[in-house]
Amino acid sequence: MDEFLAKIYLEQAKQECERCFHSIQIMNAITQKKLDDDFFQHALDLIHHAAAVSRIFWPPGGRNQPSTKRAHRRGQALRDMLQLQSGHAVQNRSLRDHFEHFDERLDDWAENSRNRNIVHRLFGPRSAIGGDAIQDSDIIHHFDPATNIFGFRGEHYNIQELATGIDDIYQKTIAKIEELDANKALQRTSR
């Protein structure tokens, strides 16, 4: 991948990381009770922007095979540039998929919920809702600020790990952009 094209992708990744940081700042202010706002809306924003970063470096497969191969080559080239390893915290888009395909998840809940109880947007410990009538799979959108764990129907995601992964990519992206800019400036002066 040539440096011009790489820089375009890296600039986009940088912007998406910055949008993640903005969402994290608001989420932190809400958890610290410094701001009264919809925590889950900002969590959704974080997850969508983190997924955009993920797609840049770990593109999903598609129906068009040539396009998929091209995207995978691009993702590999960018991962190699930043030395990103497989299994990186930002690579996993499962939580985003839960939001993106919420209708399918709700269909599954409607078909499989034992007591057909549903808890939406639980902010706090799981123990805040007790009893056998509420299963973990009945709790949709749960965040425990004491642990930074986001739950969706019994699946748990560590938001701090995601934030740390975003910061890792951001720092490496900034360094690579600066390196590319320095290379370009050096090429201009050597002409």
Side-chain angles (χ1 to χ4, degrees):
M1 172 179 293
D2 66 65
E3 290 184 356
F4 174 76
L5 184 56
K7 187 173 176 197
I8 293 170
Y9 282 108
L10 294 173
E11 288 285 353
Q12 184 63 38
K14 176 181 172 275
Q15 288 176 16
E16 294 294 346
C17 288
E18 289 168 349
R19 290 178 181 131
C20 289
F21 297 145
H22 178 72
S23 295
I24 291 167
Q25 285 177 329
I26 294 171
M27 291 164 61
N28 285 337
I30 294 168
T31 60
Q32 296 165 5
K33 299 186 182 352
K34 295 178 181 177
L35 180 65
D36 183 24
D37 204 345
D38 182 357
F39 177 88
F40 290 96
Q41 180 57 54
H42 296 287
L44 178 60
D45 291 345
L46 165 63
I47 291 160
H48 280 302
H49 291 298
V53 174
S54 180
R55 285 189 303 271
I56 290 170
F57 296 100
W58 294 275
R63 294 184 182 130
N64 181 320
Q65 203 168 27
S67 176
T68 297
K69 285 181 181 180
R70 181 178 61 231
H72 285 186
R73 283 192 307 271
R74 177 244 309 150
Q76 186 66 56
L78 292 170
R79 288 193 308 274
D80 290 347
M81 278 184 178
L82 300 188
Q83 298 178 350
L84 299 176
Q85 303 300 315
S86 182
H88 194 281
V90 178
Q91 184 177 359
N92 185 344
R93 291 189 295 270
S94 298
L95 184 55
R96 190 236 22 135
D97 290 346
H98 289 318
F99 283 104
E100 189 73 20
H101 303 285
F102 183 78
D103 59 320
E104 296 169 19
R105 304 324 191 247
L106 196 55
D107 289 343
D108 183 69
W109 169 84
E111 196 170 289
N112 295 304
S113 176
R114 185 175 57 187
N115 296 315
R116 293 187 57 105
N117 289 318
I118 192 164
V119 177
H120 224 353
R121 297 176 171 230
L122 172 60
F123 187 86
R126 166 65 173 96
S127 61
I129 298 180
D132 293 334
I134 305 290
Q135 304 296 308
D136 284 347
S137 60
D138 292 331
I139 302 173
I140 299 174
H141 305 147
H142 170 217
F143 182 74
D144 185 343
T147 62
N148 285 326
I149 300 295
F150 195 101
F152 187 93
R153 298 198 63 224
E155 291 183 27
H156 300 96
Y157 303 89
N158 188 316
I159 296 298
Q160 183 57 55
E161 286 178 9
L162 177 61
T164 300
I166 289 292
D167 187 58
D168 174 57
I169 289 176
Y170 184 72
Q171 297 305 323
K172 289 176 178 178
T173 297
I174 295 271
K176 183 53 79 173
I177 289 170
E178 289 173 357
E179 179 186 320
L180 293 174
D181 287 344
N183 288 348
K184 188 173 182 178
L186 186 62
Q187 288 172 357
R188 272 189 256 141
T189 59
S190 66
R191 287 182 191 169

